[in-house]
Amino acid sequence: METSNELGLTQMKRSVQKLGCSAEGFGDLTLMRFLIARSMDPEKAAQMFVQWFNWRHSFVPSGFVDESEVADELEHRKVCLQGLTKNGYPLMIVLGSKHRPPKDHTQFKKFVVYLLDKTLSSSFRGSEAGNEKMMGIIDVQGISYKNVDLRGLITAFQFLQSYYPERLAKAFVVNMTPFFVRVWRIVARFLDKATLEKIVIVGSEDEKKQLIDEVGVDILPEMYGGKAKFIAIQDFKLAPHQEVTHCSN
């Protein structure tokens, strides 16, 4: 007798076929992320999967974004990849004060794909699939008007919601300022409830302790209470079995 999850997966696969696509070659763990993101509704999950499938093949036809395609964004060294947290989540850190609104928004979108793909690929362990989720820190210390990029921030979160369903374990926003509170209120309007529930605005000592406890001092940079140094994402070396892909199989 099929469980509710198995039944949902079967119905989703049928719905994907009806939409002129195929889920063949994609594991049940991948398809379950779409189901969970759509409250276990097979038809809505199928629609989301097909939209993702078509987007991925048109926007990233080679399967990955090469660093040469996003060189302008990498130059600022504004995103770091630190390794795995205590729970095995790869940790990405975004340094807001190093960001500048891009002149080429298409390149920025590719940069977002590069960041998410490499971060998720970094959790692969040999023959093991790696962790399904990632953790993030958004550091807004020292940001000013020249750093504010509402379009870019909203795009990044919408990509995460639409094309990387159920990939975010938790995100911590640190060094929040009154200035960025106003920015965040605007961004939050574009985020769904499930995403907002995974975001922690770190202010109290308890929240700072939660950040240290969940990440671990070995990979957390010193300025947040850890022992590590920042590692720019382009400097983070993946093992041969951690080749960057769309991480969906």
Side-chain angles (χ1 to χ4, degrees):
M1 185 174 180
E2 283 188 318
T3 65
S4 58
N5 284 353
E6 289 171 338
L7 181 60
L9 286 168
T10 299
Q11 292 175 339
M12 178 185 169
K13 291 173 184 177
R14 289 172 181 166
S15 295
V16 168
Q17 285 186 322
K18 289 180 181 178
L19 292 170
C21 193
S22 173
E24 186 177 350
F26 294 92
D28 288 350
L29 283 175
T30 295
L31 301 181
M32 275 301 301
R33 289 201 302 271
F34 289 89
L35 271 169
I36 293 170
R38 289 296 177 263
S39 303
M40 302 305 291
D41 184 316
E43 291 190 6
K44 291 182 179 179
Q47 291 171 358
M48 185 184 192
F49 175 85
V50 171
Q51 289 171 353
W52 165 82
F53 184 90
N54 292 333
W55 165 80
R56 187 81 204 190
H57 283 266
S58 63
F59 194 69
V60 196
S62 64
F64 69 97
V65 175
D66 190 82
E67 288 187 359
S68 63
E69 299 179 69
V70 292
D72 291 345
E73 294 294 330
L74 288 171
E75 181 182 359
H76 299 291
R77 303 178 72 82
K78 58 191 174 185
V79 179
C80 300
L81 182 55
Q82 298 295 122
L84 304 182
T85 68
K86 285 182 177 180
N87 291 325
Y89 301 132
L91 176 68
M92 178 200 296
I93 301 177
V94 178
L95 303 172
S97 63
K98 293 188 174 186
H99 178 69
R100 299 291 185 275
K103 296 178 181 178
D104 184 344
H105 196 63
T106 298
Q107 184 183 107
F108 179 78
K109 289 179 178 179
K110 287 186 177 292
F111 181 58
V112 173
V113 173
Y114 165 84
L115 297 177
L116 295 174
D117 283 357
K118 184 168 183 178
T119 298
L120 291 166
S121 293
S122 71
S123 72
F124 291 178
R125 297 187 184 95
S127 60
E128 298 180 27
N131 207 304
E132 290 284 296
K133 297 179 183 289
M134 57 174 283
M135 189 174 286
I137 294 175
I138 303 172
D139 188 346
V140 296
Q141 184 176 42
I143 70 164
S144 63
Y145 285 104
K146 67 182 179 182
N147 309 117
V148 174
D149 181 13
L150 282 172
R151 184 184 183 189
L153 195 53
I154 292 168
T155 293
F157 273 109
Q158 288 186 332
F159 268 37
L160 194 59
Q161 291 178 167
S162 299
Y163 304 132
Y164 295 81
E166 295 301 305
R167 287 297 204 177
L168 179 65
K170 189 172 290 184
F172 294 91
V173 181
V174 300
N175 297 315
M176 179 66 89
T177 63
F179 169 71
F180 194 75
V181 168
R182 297 193 294 273
V183 174
W184 183 251
R185 285 174 179 164
I186 298 173
V187 173
R189 297 174 192 165
F190 294 87
L191 307 186
D192 58 35
K193 181 181 178 182
T195 300
L196 285 171
E197 289 175 348
K198 297 173 184 175
I199 297 172
V200 177
I201 308 296
V202 177
S204 69
E205 289 303 314
D206 285 344
E207 289 161 343
K208 292 176 183 178
K209 184 177 183 300
Q210 179 188 358
L211 171 62
I212 295 171
D213 288 345
E214 293 194 24
V215 172
V217 295
D218 290 337
I219 69 164
L220 190 65
E222 294 172 350
M223 70 177 297
Y224 309 129
K227 300 178 180 179
K229 304 294 184 183
F230 287 105
I231 305 172
I233 193 166
Q234 60 266 46
D235 295 339
F236 189 96
K237 303 302 180 184
L238 297 178
H241 59 265
Q242 295 174 321
E243 182 179 354
V244 178
T245 68
H246 57 67
C247 309
S248 291
N249 289 7

